[in-house]
Amino acid sequence: MPEPKYKRILLKLGGESLSGKGQTGIDPQSVAYLAEEVQAVKAHGVEIAIVIGGGNFWRGNDPYARSIDRATADYMGMLGTMLNALALQDALEKRGIYTRVQSAIEMRAIAEPYIRRRAIRHLEKGRVVIFGAGTGNPFFTTDTAGALRAKEIDADVLMKVTKVDGVYDKDPLKYPDAIKFASISYNQAIMMEQIQVIDNTALSLCMDNDLPIIVFDFFQPRSVERAVMGEPIGTLITK
C-alpha cells in the first residue's frame, strides 16, 4: 500500500459538512458521509485532528447575529461547534473509531478541556481528536482555530475543506470564467482577501510558521484521502 504523504493532519471543516450545502442543522446522511471520509483516511494510519465550524447553527453575518453583541454572538457560534463535534464523535465511534472531543471552553460533563500535550497523546494512540469551541475567544474564526491547533499539535498540513475545489481568482459560483490556482503563496492568498477562502489571521499564522494549507472540495468523494496521499487536488498554499 502506498505511504501517505502526510502523517498527521488537521482537517478544518465548515458547519455545512454536517448539514449539506446551503442547509442548516445536522443531516444524518452528511454526518455519515463525513465519518466515512475520515474512516478512509484513518485506514492509512494517518493521525487526524479536526476543527469544526458551527455555521450550520449560527452564522455571524446573519442579520440577527449582527444585531446582538459581537462577543455574545461569537460565543453562541462556539456552542454550535460543540454540537457538531459531538455529532461527529457519535458517528465515528459507531464505526469503531476511537475519538476524543476537546473543548476550548470548559464543559467537563461532555468533553475534555483543551490540553495540547493530551491531544498529541490521543493522536499517538490512534484516536481522532475533535476540537470544539474554536479558540475559546470571541473575534476569532474557526479558521484561525484550525491554524492554531494545527501548529500546536505539529500537524504536517492544514486541510481546509470548502464547497469549491480550490482557490480561484474570483468566486467560481458567481463567475463561470473564474480561474483556479493549483498553488499560490501565502502572500498571494492574503492579497486575495475578497475571495474569503480562509481568513487572513489563519493565513498569517500559517505563513509565519511555514505550515502548508490545502484547500479543496470536501463534497468530492475521497477528497481528503486523495489529498493525504499526495494527489494534487484543490489548491496548495505555501511560501
Side-chain angles (χ1 to χ4, degrees):
M1 178 181 291
E3 286 292 311
K5 180 176 181 178
Y6 304 107
K7 302 292 187 182
R8 179 179 291 173
I9 67 169
L10 189 298
L11 189 60
K12 168 59 184 62
L13 302 167
E16 279 192 337
S17 303
L18 284 83
S19 65
K21 286 184 180 180
Q23 303 300 311
T24 58
I26 293 177
D27 170 51
Q29 290 187 337
S30 296
V31 179
Y33 170 80
L34 172 53
E36 188 175 312
E37 293 295 298
V38 173
Q39 186 175 36
V41 176
K42 198 80 188 64
H44 294 280
V46 175
E47 296 176 2
I48 306 169
I50 298 171
V51 166
I52 196 161
N56 51 324
F57 288 110
W58 184 253
R59 293 184 183 279
N61 290 330
D62 286 348
Y64 175 56
R66 291 200 303 269
S67 72
I68 63 177
D69 175 76
R70 167 65 190 274
T72 300
D74 285 355
Y75 281 120
M76 292 169 73
M78 292 178 217
L79 295 177
T81 72
M82 288 303 296
L83 294 175
N84 286 335
L86 294 176
L88 179 56
Q89 179 181 45
D90 178 77
L92 290 172
E93 298 209 331
K94 282 178 177 171
R95 291 171 179 271
I97 299 172
Y98 295 107
T99 69
R100 290 291 186 277
V101 173
Q102 291 199 344
S103 172
I105 299 174
E106 194 166 306
M107 304 181 189
R108 289 186 179 274
I110 58 174
E112 295 180 356
Y114 172 67
I115 299 174
R116 172 180 171 269
R117 293 176 67 90
R118 184 179 292 178
I120 292 172
R121 188 64 183 140
H122 288 321
L123 292 169
E124 291 171 345
K125 289 184 174 182
R127 297 167 183 148
V128 173
V129 180
I130 307 167
F131 297 118
T135 67
N137 301 288
F139 306 103
F140 291 94
T141 69
T142 49
D143 280 350
T144 298
L148 177 64
R149 297 290 184 249
K151 195 57 197 170
E152 286 184 290
I153 64 167
D154 299 321
D156 299 321
V157 65
L158 169 61
M159 294 189 170
K160 158 80 177 183
V161 300
T162 72
K163 53 188 176 186
V164 295
D165 61 344
V167 179
Y168 287 75
D169 63 341
K170 48 193 171 185
D171 188 346
L173 300 179
K174 296 180 180 176
Y175 303 97
D177 62 338
I179 299 171
K180 178 186 166 186
F181 299 100
S183 64
I184 57 174
S185 69
Y186 297 114
N187 280 327
Q188 285 176 302
I190 289 172
M191 295 299 290
M192 297 167 62
E193 184 180 10
Q194 73 280 6
I195 304 300
Q196 295 183 333
V197 170
I198 184 168
D199 76 60
N200 277 353
T201 303
L203 277 169
S204 297
L205 185 57
C206 291
M207 181 172 66
D208 291 345
N209 293 282
D210 196 16
L211 177 66
I213 307 167
I214 303 176
V215 179
F216 57 92
D217 183 1
F218 176 71
F219 295 96
Q220 293 295 320
R222 294 294 185 268
S223 55
V224 184
E225 183 182 19
R226 290 164 57 201
V228 163
M229 299 308 291
E231 187 175 330
I233 68 169
T235 298
L236 174 66
I237 306 175
T238 58
K239 62 182 177 182

